[in-house]
Structures are given as structure tokens and as C-alpha cells.
Amino acid sequence: MQRAADRVLVVALVLGFAAASGALAARTGAWGLPHNDDWAMLRIAQRLGDTGELRLVGWNRMSLVGQSVLGAGALRLVGGGVSTLQAVSLAAAALLPAVAYALLRRFLPPGRAVLGALTLVGTCELWLLSASFMTDVLAALLVVGCLLLGVAAVRAPARRAAVLLLVGAVLGGLWAFTVREGALAAPVAVLLAAAVGRRDLRAPVWASAGAGGVAVVVFELWRRSLPGDDPPVLVVDLVATAAHGVEALLWTGLVLSPVTLLLGRWWRRGRAWVAVGVTGCLAGWVGLGLDRPLFPANYLSQRGGYSTAELGSRAVLVPDAVWAVVCVVAVVSAGVLVERLADRRGRRVAAGTDPAARVLTWFLALTVAGLLVQDLVGQATYSRYLLALPPVLAVLVLQTVPSAGTAAAPHRRAWVGSAVLLAACCALAVVLTAGTLRSDTARWTAAQELADAGVDPMSIAVGQEWSGWHSAVPAVHAGRDAPGDRGWWTGMFSGASECWLVAVDDRERAGYRLVSAGSGVWVSRAETTC
């Protein structure tokens, strides 16, 4: 009976999110348009599908091959273009909460598993990424799937079943690695946990580790040898890395606030208040001392996602008072989260009594270490890199909540409050997503009208996705932020100019005259001949 209920929940999660996200993208007119960085992934996958050639475009620092092959296969199977590739991402985004629920159910009863899985739906990252062809959602889905199979492998009573599940986990993890390199933490965590928790699996663990290690090295050497690669550049900035760490913690705290704030009676523990106070000081250091946003770039902000990838300053989508509440909730929840993770008492996972739980703890440790190294070599930590963390952390936190039927169990009011807080997170995510997609659509439509009237698309500065999509040559990463450019991306594309500007504010720009305005965009033309 319970398995039937689980299946119903999984189907509801998949269909419900797919319908809601697809409807939002269609209603805002954003379906079928490039968004943010996905112009690069779209072009690579389309060329692979059309010609069988994997050609990079200079804005492709992640491995992305695993997603490109999947996208090219979808194009050859059903045809279409951008819409088909974005449908692949929508499917992955819809499956992610469902697979997260399956993972959570390995440790928690249904109600708690649903709450933990739905925290993902409360992120604007999942909503925005589901309408694009970015690599983050597919990578997160494969990572969580790898962890699910790994947990099942460690717990499987029969060795044959355990070996098959282990091999499946490693293969899924390696596929995730070919999408984003940071996903390698998942199969490594599975292998470590299996080696420690199951003596009878040590031989297949060593075999999988050897074969997987060779595959990773060969793949990476081949991938980095391709023309048009965009290799990372060593830029060590310890202050920036520390700030990124605090921002990531606050984002995680906000996402998990329905899990942390109302179910554990943290306000009765002095150490929890200490953790909240320290987190508040760190937030003050980042926000006031460094004058940085409290959340990682570049999705969760008052103005919506990736607003710096367009000209001008987008209108605020969330009022200051509401945003202040969001920040306070994030700080308090992050402090409580740290306190819960640091306290081993009453937490079976941290105590190590469940061998399968080592899969999760190893994954967390390796992921944090990987993000730290990545940040130190110049790739800032964006919130979309963190999508696989909330369900894993939800397991650790929810296992500290006393079970139903005990004196310390949360009251029904606490569960209702958690549901209300989750609904508020979802509402915030939808507001930010809708505002971002409307801006994307308005900018693209205005630029397309100019192009239809005979204007050279590369002479229109509207956003990096427009220039990247229309450029005939690969981007040159070193050309970004060139002096004098109004758009930081213009210098990356040879042949790009700024004869025409499509901005999202009405600020006067020297040397330009306003041509038209409407739908939240202002079109200007250079007064001098380009």
C-alpha cells in the first residue's frame, strides 16, 4: 500500500512541476528563447545533432558533453530546435524532486520525505533552469540518482543486487561528470561508503574505481583538447572565496527553512542561538563590510535572475520589506542548520549507525571541498551549482526531529507552519521567475524587431545571450569587461558593436538617442555612425 502511495506522489511531483513550469514559461513568452548562458549549450547541441560534430563556442567551461549528446539525440528523434532542448531540461527539472523524494524515503517516512523534496520547488533556480538548457538541472538529477542507487547498493541484502546497483550508481555518476565535473563527488562518495560499509563489495569497488578513474582522465584530456575550450584561470582571492562560502550557506538556509525553523524547537537550545548569532555576523560582514549580496550569483536576487547579463537595472520584483524578511529567515535558518549538523547527539546519520548514510556524508564533504577548490581557481560558486545539496541536507536535519508519537515530536501546528513557509518560498520563486522570463522575452522581442527591419544583429547590445546566439565565431572569454563597453559581453565577440542598445531602464546614455520604449525595454541608437 505504501509503495502505491509513493508512486502516486512521485507521479504527482513530476507532472505537477512540469505543468506549472511549462505554463509559466509559455505565459511569459519565454519558451523557445535562449536564456542566460544557455545559448552556448544550445548551439553546441544543435550542431552536434545536425552534423555529428562537437564544436565548442568559447563559453563552455563545464564538461557539458553528456548533456549535448542527450540533446542531440532528442533533436534527431523528434526534431525541433530550442524548444526541444528546453523540453529536455524541463523533464530533468520535473524529475529532480521526484528522485529526491525517492532518496529521502530511504531514510524518512513519507510526510517528511515530501517536505524535504519540495524544498527544491521553492527555489527560483529550479524554475528558471527548467525553462533553459543549462547543465545544472541534469547534473543535479544524475547526482541525486547516483546517490539513490548508492544507498540502495550499500543496503542491498544480496551481493549480486548490490553489485548491479553499485555499477549503476557509478555509471550514473560518470554521466553526471560528463555534464559538470563537480558531479564526480557523487560516485566517489558511493565507492567510499561501499568500501567501508560492505566488505563483500570491496572487489567491485576497486574495479569500478580503477575503470572509472581511467575513464575520467581520458575524458578530461580529450575534452580539454577540443578547439574553442574555455579553461579555468587560476585567480586566488581568499576573501572572495570566504564570501562565496557564506553566500552559499545563506542560500542553503533559505531553501531549507521549512525544514529547519519550525520542527526542531531550536529556540530552546542555547548553542542554536550562538550559531544564529555567528551566522548573522558573517552575513553582516558580507552585506555591509564587503557590500556584496547575501546570496550567491546569479539567480536569487530582488531583481530576479542574471540581471547583470542585460543592459540597465531591471525593476525590483520583491519589495524591500519582503526582501528583508527573506534575508532574516535565511540567516536564522542557516544558523540552525549549522547547529544541527554540528551536533551529533541524537543524529543517527552522523553517529554512523547507518552505513548507507555515509554515502550522504561523504558526498557533502566532497562537494564542499570541490566547490572550495573550484572557487579558489577562479570559478565563483553560483547558487545553481548547489541544487543537489538540499535533499541530502534535509535527510540529516529531519532525522534529528523526534518521531511522531514521542513527547518531543513537533505539534501539528509546526507542520502546518512548515507548509506555509514552503508555500511562501514557492511564491517567491515564481515571482522572481516570472519577472526574469518577462524581461528576457521583452528584450529578445525588441532586438528581433530591429533585426527583422534589417539591422545587423551583432550591432545590437541587448544581452549576452543575443550576441552569443548570433555570433559567427567563438567567444573569447578574455575579452569580457573590455574598457568602454556598455555590455560586459560585447568584447567577447568579434564583430559585435553597440550601435543599438536595448536596455531595461530609461536612464539617459550619452551618445545615444531614444528610439522607442515599451514592455519594460528602451531602445536607443548611437548618434554617430557605426
Side-chain angles (χ1 to χ4, degrees):
M1 184 67 181
Q2 188 55 61
R3 288 185 178 180
D6 284 341
R7 285 194 291 268
V8 170
L9 280 170
V10 166
V11 172
L13 284 172
V14 173
L15 297 182
F17 181 81
S21 180
L24 182 60
R27 184 175 180 82
T28 56
W31 191 255
L33 300 180
H35 300 283
N36 195 20
D37 294 337
D38 83 337
W39 64 267
M41 296 76 168
L42 289 167
R43 289 185 58 178
I44 292 168
Q46 283 192 327
R47 185 173 187 87
L48 182 61
D50 292 341
T51 68
E53 178 188 9
L54 184 66
R55 177 178 292 186
L56 305 183
V57 296
W59 192 255
N60 30 244
R61 187 160 288 179
M62 75 299 297
S63 49
L64 65 73
V65 175
Q67 175 168 291
S68 299
V69 172
L70 179 64
L75 289 174
R76 291 195 172 188
L77 183 64
V78 302
V82 174
S83 296
T84 298
L85 294 174
Q86 290 177 345
V88 172
S89 285
L90 177 60
L95 286 169
L96 180 55
V99 177
Y101 171 77
L103 176 64
L104 286 153
R105 279 291 286 125
R106 292 281 173 171
F107 300 92
L108 301 167
R112 299 186 184 204
V114 169
L115 179 63
L118 286 178
T119 57
L120 288 169
V121 182
T123 66
C124 62
E125 287 78 7
L126 189 68
W127 288 84
L128 283 167
L129 291 167
S130 68
S132 74
F133 194 58
M134 300 286 282
T135 57
D136 308 274
V137 163
L138 180 60
L141 173 65
L142 294 171
V143 162
V144 176
C146 172
L147 298 177
L148 173 62
L149 292 175
V151 168
V154 174
R155 286 182 174 173
R159 183 178 185 276
R160 179 181 175 82
V163 171
L164 291 175
L165 288 166
L166 179 69
V167 172
V170 172
L171 291 176
L174 291 177
W175 182 10
F177 168 78
T178 67
V179 179
R180 296 197 70 92
E181 289 91 338
L184 189 61
V188 173
V190 169
L191 291 173
L192 287 172
V196 173
R198 292 281 298 260
R199 281 192 171 187
D200 60 334
L201 291 182
R202 288 181 181 175
V205 162
W206 282 111
S208 298
V214 171
V216 165
V217 172
V218 171
F219 172 85
E220 194 65 10
L221 290 174
W222 165 76
R223 166 64 180 80
R224 295 305 164 189
S225 69
L226 295 175
D229 187 30
D230 179 22
V233 179
L234 181 63
V235 182
V236 178
D237 187 338
L238 296 180
V239 174
T241 296
H244 295 156
V246 175
E247 292 165 358
L249 173 63
L250 294 175
W251 179 87
T252 308
L254 179 64
V255 174
L256 289 176
S257 57
V259 170
T260 59
L261 290 185
L262 299 172
L263 300 181
R265 300 183 182 180
W266 61 270
W267 51 86
R268 297 183 178 181
R269 301 189 298 271
R271 60 184 180 274
W273 284 104
V274 172
V276 170
V278 172
T279 305
C281 291
L282 291 173
W285 170 66
V286 170
L288 301 177
L290 300 181
D291 193 25
R292 294 177 59 94
L294 292 186
F295 302 109
N298 55 349
Y299 278 56
L300 180 60
S301 77
Q302 268 187 282
R303 301 179 188 276
Y306 45 86
S307 60
T308 59
E310 57 193 21
L311 285 176
S313 182
R314 189 189 299 164
V316 170
L317 301 173
V318 181
D320 290 343
V322 175
W323 192 251
V325 173
V326 170
C327 293
V328 170
V329 168
V331 169
V332 176
S333 177
V336 175
L337 175 64
V338 170
E339 185 264 343
R340 284 290 77 199
L341 295 179
D343 182 16
R344 291 175 176 264
R345 289 175 294 180
R347 179 148 55 84
R348 291 170 291 163
V349 171
T353 58
D354 182 359
R358 295 194 184 102
V359 174
L360 306 186
T361 53
W362 273 111
F363 169 71
L364 286 174
L366 291 169
T367 297
V368 171
L371 289 172
L372 179 63
V373 171
Q374 178 179 277
D375 209 292
L376 285 172
V377 298
Q379 179 57 59
T381 299
Y382 292 159
S383 58
R384 51 191 169 86
Y385 301 169
L386 310 175
L387 276 177
L389 295 183
V392 174
L393 289 167
V395 171
L396 306 183
V397 173
L398 287 170
Q399 282 207 335
T400 69
V401 177
S403 302
T406 63
H411 193 274
R412 174 177 288 185
R413 289 192 300 270
W415 291 104
V416 172
S418 291
V420 171
L421 187 52
L422 176 62
C425 289
C426 292
L428 174 66
V430 170
V431 167
L432 295 176
T433 300
T436 302
L437 295 181
R438 287 195 189 99
S439 178
D440 288 353
T441 301
R443 290 185 299 108
W444 190 276
T445 300
Q448 189 61 55
E449 289 175 353
L450 291 175
D452 292 343
V455 175
D456 178 8
M458 292 305 293
S459 70
I460 308 170
V462 56
Q464 66 135 335
E465 76 278 22
W466 174 271
S467 298
W469 183 253
H470 290 91
S471 176
V473 295
V476 179
H477 202 129
R480 63 175 295 171
D481 300 320
D485 285 347
R486 295 184 181 276
W488 57 262
W489 59 86
T490 304
M492 298 194 308
F493 304 101
S494 62
S497 65
E498 297 179 334
C499 298
W500 294 81
L501 304 181
V502 179
V504 294
D505 63 21
D506 61 352
R507 186 171 71 249
E508 290 187 8
R509 292 170 170 83
Y512 289 84
R513 60 181 178 83
L514 184 65
V515 174
S516 63
S519 301
V521 294
W522 286 258
V523 180
S524 303
R525 183 176 184 176
E527 294 177 341
T528 58
T529 303
C530 289

